[in-house]
Amino acid sequence: MPDLNTVADKTLVPGTDYFLMRKWLQNGNVKNFLSGSLVEQSDYFDELAHFAHYPEIFPCSLTSGVLLEKAQLENHDFKANPMVYTSHDISVDRFLIKQLKNNDKVYILVKQLPESKNNTLNNTSIMLRTYECYGVLDNQEILFRIKLNLVPLEEIIKNLSLKASKN
C-alpha cells in the first residue's frame, strides 16, 4: 500500500481495488453508539478519571458508512435496491483498540470480491456480494479486518415467494 495520507479520500487506492475513506474517532460518537446499544457509558468513559475505552466493535461499525459512500459513488439506488447484511466475520486487534483516543484517524479500506455462483446465500441462487474491509491506523497497523456479505433485499423476497408458492 502507498502512504494512505497521500491518497485522496473517497477514491480507489492507486494500484489496488480498495476504496479508501478516512474516519476520525470521536468520543461523542462512541457515547452515542453505546447509548444506542443500551450500554452503560460509564463502563467505557470516565471524564473525571480521564479514561476512555472504545468498544471493540465501534471502529468496525464505521465500515457501514464507507460501504454506503462507495455505493453512492457507484450510483447505487438504495430506494430501488436496498441491500441486507447476511454475515460478518470480524477480527479486532485488542491491543490496538486499547490505545485509541479522541480524534484518532482510521483509514477504512473496502474491496468487493467478484460475485460467483459458487458463493450463494444458503444454497439458493442468490449470489453474495462479499467485501473485504480493513481499518488501518496512521502508523499502518491494522486495527480490524472484516469479511462481510450483502445481498439485495429484492432477491431474498423473490426467493421466499418461490418457496411459499411451492408449498
Side-chain angles (χ1 to χ4, degrees), residues 36-77:
S37 303
L38 303 176
V39 173
E40 178 57 48
Q41 289 181 20
S42 63
D43 291 343
Y44 293 88
F45 290 91
D46 186 338
E47 283 79 8
L48 297 176
H50 301 290
F51 82 81
H53 301 287
Y54 282 52
E56 292 176 6
I57 201 70
F58 175 74
C60 303
S61 71
L62 300 173
T63 302
S64 290
V66 178
L67 287 166
L68 286 170
E69 190 72 35
K70 181 181 184 302
Q72 286 178 327
L73 289 173
E74 295 169 350
N75 297 313
H76 184 88
D77 183 348

Side-chain angles (χ1 to χ4, degrees), residues 107-165:
Y107 301 91
I108 300 181
L109 300 164
V110 172
K111 175 175 84 169
Q112 183 177 354
L113 302 179
E115 291 183 42
S116 164
K117 291 183 180 183
N118 296 326
N119 187 23
T120 62
L121 178 63
N122 297 331
N123 300 313
T124 65
S125 62
I126 303 171
M127 288 193 294
L128 296 171
R129 294 185 187 173
T130 302
Y131 293 84
E132 289 180 349
C133 310
Y134 297 90
V136 181
L137 299 175
D138 241 349
N139 61 5
Q140 304 249 336
E141 290 184 292
I142 297 174
L143 176 63
F144 65 80
R145 294 170 174 85
I146 303 173
K147 190 172 188 179
L148 61 86
N149 292 303
L150 297 170
V151 297
L153 178 60
E154 178 181 47
E155 294 294 320
I156 293 173
I157 293 170
K158 267 194 237 174
N159 189 270
L160 290 173
S161 296
L162 286 173
K163 284 185 178 180
S165 66

